[in-house]
Amino acid sequence: MAAHIRRRLRKGATTTAVAAAAVAALAASQAPAATLADGSAGSGDPKAAGEDTASGETDGAATGNSPYYTDLPPLVTPDKPGSSSNLPAAGSAEAGIPASVLAAYKQAERTVATTDPSCRLPWQLLAAIGKVESGQARGGRVDANGTASPRILGPALNGQGFALIKDTDGGAYDGDAVHDRAVGPMQFIPSTWASWGQDANGDGRKDPNNIYDAALAAGRYLCANDRDLALAADLDQAVLSYNRSTEYLRTVRSWYSYYQRGTHEIPDGTGTLPSIPSTPTPSPSPGTGSGPSATPSPKPSPDKPGGKPSPGPSKPGGGGSTSPTPKPPTPKPTPPSATFGSLENAGTGPLRATAGQEFDERVSVLARNAVGAPLAKVPVTFTVTGGTGTLFAGGKKTVTVRTGADGTATAPKLQAGEKAGEFTVTAVAGTGRPRTLTYAATVTARQADAIARTDEKALVAAPGEKFADAVTVKATYKDAAAAGVAVTATMVKDPLGVIDNDKGPYFKGADGKPVRTLTTLTTDADGQLRLPEIFADDNEGTYLLRLTTEGGASVVIELTVKAPEETTPEEPAPDATETPAATKP
């Protein structure tokens, strides 16, 4: 509780500059008064306090201080204070909010209430900003997914009356590869969208032209810096962070108060469009822009047919009007239909294959232009990276394929290498700011589901001797010979191979010393494996050799070490025909 009080005191200890300006503006407009904090946005910093900026810098403004609509709500509010916002469709047209747009605002409020409950974001604030920025997505002209159609783009932020913001997105969002433009129903500049963009409708894309994505992004942006929007000072700071202009704050506050008094849902595409845009002045010097609410400078007007020339300074020796100094032509941006917008997965499934086999799945990408339509004839370079030995068909690690009319490009088939492991396939397209997609892929070892000896002959050796008969096994997979399968041979004490044996039969390592586990064995083209020679030590007994394949198949082979049996020659029996020697008397 104490921490909460300290937070309120900290956030309330601000200046009164914006509060006074906003209240005065509201009174002048006779719009419903919105309650402002005694202290408002900022702590002495004129920009934080909401003074109109004329330097051309955005100061982190979400919209880049691009133009907005300054229409104010009707003098008659839709309902009395404190009434329900679930009003019938009757009433002031200005109180109606298109269905998809209203749903997006309320969804954003619910989402932020879950992830950042201390912000206390009201959906009516999003509605107020949406009204001022785009007239509720141009009266709700959105498709079934909530995407504005056509796109909503602000003017080029080229320093001519607006901030100077050079291109940051390669035209991906705004179709302008020279300067940035505010984009979508909530009018984010591309650089801000890159940091705050959201995917609120679950389509896998963060699209500033989608009202659901844009509304959630705006909500999170307004809640930044631990703001509590139930506090007037924090709400003012949030609005000013969106567009640093006191006129902007006044206008948003007016609509916010209006929507708090009552709204109703109307069909998409039937909303009332605002008509009065803000009118910033041209930049005072090259390379700088002006605040969006400054007064425009007078411009020379062309002579009317049959009329008098416009007054102006005379040229030497003449009395005609002076033409403005010609400016170099502004480069025309690439049309959105030809601007590379995005590179997406075109449905590539899991990439898995057994060593030495061909991958069933092929890597496929989809190129879109700046308006989201398929873009043809885009070269896409696919590259295999990793140590599995996998290559594209034809033995190539890198291939380039152009997208077809449907915007897709599909790489050749992949041939798995002989080494099991993971690798990546990277797709790159575009110049300047290339788009990149990376796919993870796996090569699994060759497998066998059965392994058995090729004969049943007993394996016996004398202590200290070598087993005379070799051990040969065959591995199979689904009853077919399993070639190239890794096999591990281990001398064990139990059939399950839980306990290794350190006595009895052994293999010989490269140094001639006893080795009782071999892991470098592989079946041949016929699935067969002939084990190296096996030797017996001086310990007699019956021992077990366990062979295990990649895939889990196993066989246990019995080895016997015993001394050969000793045999004694038998004495010959006496010949029955032999006459015994004569005995002496």
Side-chain angles (χ1 to χ4, degrees):
M1 183 66 179
H4 180 66
I5 293 173
R6 286 197 297 273
R7 182 180 180 188
R8 293 177 62 91
L9 290 173
R10 173 176 56 82
K11 293 187 174 182
T14 51
T15 65
T16 62
V18 174
V23 169
L26 287 169
S29 70
Q30 300 182 41
T35 303
L36 299 179
D38 291 338
S40 192
S43 55
D45 181 358
K47 290 177 182 176
E51 295 183 4
D52 293 331
T53 57
S55 66
E57 297 177 356
T58 65
D59 285 315
T63 66
N65 291 341
S66 59
Y68 52 90
Y69 292 108
T70 60
D71 302 45
L72 293 173
L75 297 179
V76 179
T77 57
D79 201 359
K80 61 183 179 180
S83 66
S84 169
S85 62
N86 297 319
L87 299 178
S92 171
E94 292 291 353
I97 300 178
S100 294
V101 179
L102 182 59
Y105 297 150
K106 291 184 176 181
Q107 176 178 296
E109 180 191 61
R110 291 192 299 270
T111 301
V112 173
T114 301
T115 59
D116 188 6
S118 63
C119 174
R120 295 191 280 184
L121 169 73
W123 67 261
Q124 292 91 343
L125 179 59
L126 296 175
I129 290 175
K131 178 69 174 180
V132 172
E133 292 294 348
S134 67
Q136 309 298 19
R138 289 182 180 152
R141 294 179 62 186
V142 296
D143 62 19
N145 295 320
T147 302
S149 178
R151 292 188 311 167
I152 301 174
L153 294 175
L157 299 175
N158 56 11
Q160 302 302 310
F162 312 113
L164 173 61
I165 306 180
K166 295 184 179 180
D167 175 63
T168 60
D169 67 331
Y173 295 119
D174 56 14
D176 191 335
V178 180
H179 298 98
D180 272 350
R181 298 168 182 256
V183 182
M186 305 304 280
Q187 289 288 278
F188 279 94
I189 54 174
S191 57
T192 304
W193 183 259
S195 300
W196 292 91
Q198 303 290 315
D199 175 21
N201 64 348
D203 65 354
R205 299 180 62 195
K206 298 178 181 179
D207 184 0
N209 286 289
N210 183 275
I211 184 60
Y212 292 95
D213 294 357
L216 181 57
R220 295 197 190 285
Y221 183 89
L222 294 168
C223 288
N225 300 321
D226 295 323
R227 296 189 185 105
D228 179 354
L229 299 182
L231 302 177
D234 278 14
L235 188 144
D236 291 346
Q237 285 184 336
V239 174
L240 289 169
S241 75
Y242 217 85
N243 191 313
R244 294 189 179 279
S245 162
T246 50
E247 181 188 30
Y248 182 83
L249 173 63
R250 171 180 65 85
T251 308
V252 169
R253 272 288 203 167
S254 298
W255 284 106
Y256 175 48
S257 176
Y258 183 74
Y259 287 140
Q260 282 184 311
R261 292 172 182 264
T263 61
H264 57 270
E265 178 185 301
I266 60 175
D268 288 345
T270 63
T272 302
L273 295 177
S275 59
I276 305 174
S278 60
T279 53
T281 56
S283 304
S285 61
T288 61
S290 299
S293 59
T295 304
S297 301
K299 298 181 181 178
S301 58
D303 295 341
K304 298 180 181 179
K308 296 181 180 180
S310 302
S314 301
K315 297 179 182 179
S321 61
T322 304
S323 300
T325 304
K327 296 181 180 179
T330 302
K332 294 184 178 180
T334 305
S337 60
T339 301
F340 191 1
S342 63
L343 190 67
E344 304 169 9
N345 184 357
T348 306
L351 297 169
R352 295 180 65 88
T354 301
Q357 302 300 310
E358 193 175 70
F359 281 74
D360 292 331
E361 196 74 18
R362 295 170 67 179
V363 178
S364 184
V365 299
L366 169 63
R368 295 185 186 273
N369 61 20
V371 295
L375 190 60
K377 299 182 179 180
V378 175
V380 182
T381 300
F382 299 92
T383 303
V384 175
T385 305
T388 65
T390 301
L391 299 170
F392 289 113
K396 296 180 179 179
K397 294 187 69 173
T398 300
V399 294
T400 300
V401 181
R402 287 185 177 271
T403 58
D406 61 351
T408 63
T410 302
K413 283 196 171 185
L414 289 163
Q415 181 71 33
E418 290 298 333
K419 185 176 180 180
E422 295 183 351
F423 68 98
T424 59
V425 179
T426 303
V428 180
T431 57
R433 293 181 68 250
R435 278 47 166 193
T436 302
L437 281 179
T438 300
Y439 298 81
T442 304
V443 175
T444 58
R446 298 172 186 263
Q447 296 186 357
D449 55 16
I451 184 171
R453 286 188 64 190
T454 56
D455 62 67
E456 297 181 356
K457 190 174 182 180
L459 299 169
V460 182
E465 299 294 333
K466 178 177 68 174
F467 284 80
D469 297 307
V471 177
T472 303
V473 294
K474 182 175 182 177
T476 57
Y477 182 71
K478 295 182 179 179
D479 297 328
V485 174
V487 179
T488 299
T490 307
M491 301 295 177
V492 296
K493 290 184 178 180
D494 61 294
L496 295 179
V498 176
I499 305 173
D500 293 351
N501 205 339
D502 58 356
K503 295 180 180 179
Y506 61 90
F507 304 103
K508 282 187 178 180
D511 56 1
K513 294 182 179 180
V515 174
R516 290 186 168 85
T517 297
L518 294 179
T519 58
T520 57
L521 307 173
T522 306
T523 59
D524 62 18
D526 297 323
Q528 294 194 9
L529 169 65
R530 183 186 176 93
L531 295 183
E533 293 180 323
I534 302 175
F535 299 85
D537 63 9
D538 295 334
N539 298 284
E540 294 189 33
T542 300
Y543 299 90
L544 301 178
L545 167 62
R546 191 169 191 265
L547 304 179
T548 306
T549 70
E550 189 72 34
S554 65
V555 62
V556 176
I557 300 171
E558 192 173 276
L559 303 172
T560 302
V561 179
K562 68 176 182 177
E565 295 181 359
E566 295 184 3
T567 58
T568 55
E570 296 181 359
E571 295 183 0
D575 191 347
T577 61
E578 183 177 348
T579 302
T583 57
K584 295 181 180 181

